[in-house]
């Protein structure tokens, strides 16, 4: 266990865009899917570090709603890898008191994968050490639209009035529900500096951290560097530095 980052300045919730698997593989003359396989090792290492540090939520962007546009072979491979990893790792997550949540439009996935997701979520639902959220067929715009649809239905059925719709109602209707806090730190590996339709609603005040490190190379040390960088940020939430130093 590493103590280089003080617990008090740790993020409660870290979200990661895991980018660079394909390039990692290409640099080694390997097919892209080898990069995704290597990426699973980095997922394990990130989960372990969050557990060790006491970070409460880790959200990983595994498959975006735009990833369907990739070659069919790669899409199938990503879905298979997701299914296999769920199968292989759920028991270990459970032993480590980790709760698994899948966020995204999973209705589009094959029935077998949907069942596996449901089983893993049910199995781990009472765990409390860490919430691991996997964003699969996820898009930030999709999440906002489905939340709006949900609230509209509530109004139609008389459970809510239009005047009652506020930011809190909206937040609760997103895939995070009422319990998951917004991410404090959003990391993107692989050199690009964009959000790519990830947690659009929830990242309003997230600290952004971009690194050139490709996801399969994002080891504990790289994660530590991101946490150290975060610990030096001043989060003002609209206030001035002076106000913060007085409080
Ligand atoms: C982006 O790299 C990565 C993905 C689209 C998939 C991420 C998936 C995993 C790490 C494995 C599965 C995860 C879980 C949680 C089971 P890219 O292919 O866009 O890389 P490139 O930009 O170098 O082409």
């Amino acid at each position: 266990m590493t103590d280089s980052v003080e617990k008090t300045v740790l993020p409660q919730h870290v979200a990661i865009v895991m980018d660079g698997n394909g390039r990692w593989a290409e640099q080694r003359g390997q097919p892209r899917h080898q990069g995704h396989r290597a990426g699973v090792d980095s997922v394990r290492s990130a989960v372990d570090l969050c557990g060790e540090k006491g970070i409460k939520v880790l959200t990983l962007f595994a498959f975006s709603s735009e990833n369907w546009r990739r070659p069919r072979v790669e899409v199938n491979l990503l879905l298979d890898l997701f299914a296999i990893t769920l199968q292989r790792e759920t028991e270990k997550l459970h032993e480590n008191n980790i709760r698994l949540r899948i966020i995204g439009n999973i209705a589009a996935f094959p029935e077998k994968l949907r069942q596996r997701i449901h089983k893993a979520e049910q199995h781990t639902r009472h765990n409390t050490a860490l919430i691991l959220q996997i964003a699969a067929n996820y898009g930030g715009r999709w999440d906002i639209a489905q939340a709006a649809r949900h609230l509209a239905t509530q109004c139609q059925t008389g459970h809510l009035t239009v005047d009652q719709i506020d930011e809190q109602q909206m937040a609760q209707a997103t895939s995070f529900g009422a319990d998951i806090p917004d991410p404090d730190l959003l990391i993107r590996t692989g050199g690009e500096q964009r959000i790519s339709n990830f947690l659009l609603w929830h990242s309003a005040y997230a600290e952004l951290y971009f690194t050139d490190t490709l996801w399969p190379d994002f080891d504990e040390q790289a994660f530590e560097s991101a946490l150290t960088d975060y610990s030096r940020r001043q989060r003002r939430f609209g206030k001035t530095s002076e106000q913060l130093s007085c409080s």
Side-chain angles (χ1 to χ4, degrees), residues 18-23 32 36 39-40 43 61-62 67 70 74 78 81-82 85 134 215:
M18 309 180 287
D19 199 11
N21 294 346
R23 277 166 286 159
R32 290 175 58 82
H36 297 312
V40 175
V43 169
F61 206 3
N67 283 153
R70 293 191 173 203
E74 186 169 342
L78 277 167
L81 190 60
F82 184 38
T85 309
I134 305 293
W215 177 247

Side-chain angles (χ1 to χ4, degrees), residues 152-213:
T153 308
Q154 297 259 75
C155 288
Q156 241 176 4
T157 54
H159 293 91
L160 197 70
T161 65
V162 171
D163 289 344
Q164 283 172 322
I165 296 178
D166 58 11
E167 289 183 19
Q168 198 188 344
Q169 289 284 348
M170 190 67 192
Q172 285 180 13
T174 69
S175 57
F176 277 25
D179 303 332
I180 311 288
D182 284 344
D184 303 294
L185 171 63
L186 193 154
I187 298 171
R188 181 176 186 140
T189 63
E192 310 289 358
Q193 302 198 356
R194 53 178 172 255
I195 305 286
S196 296
N197 198 17
F198 195 25
L199 303 169
L200 296 184
W201 174 271
H202 312 92
S203 299
Y205 283 100
E207 295 297 324
L208 306 180
Y209 179 85
F210 299 105
T211 170
D212 288 339
T213 304

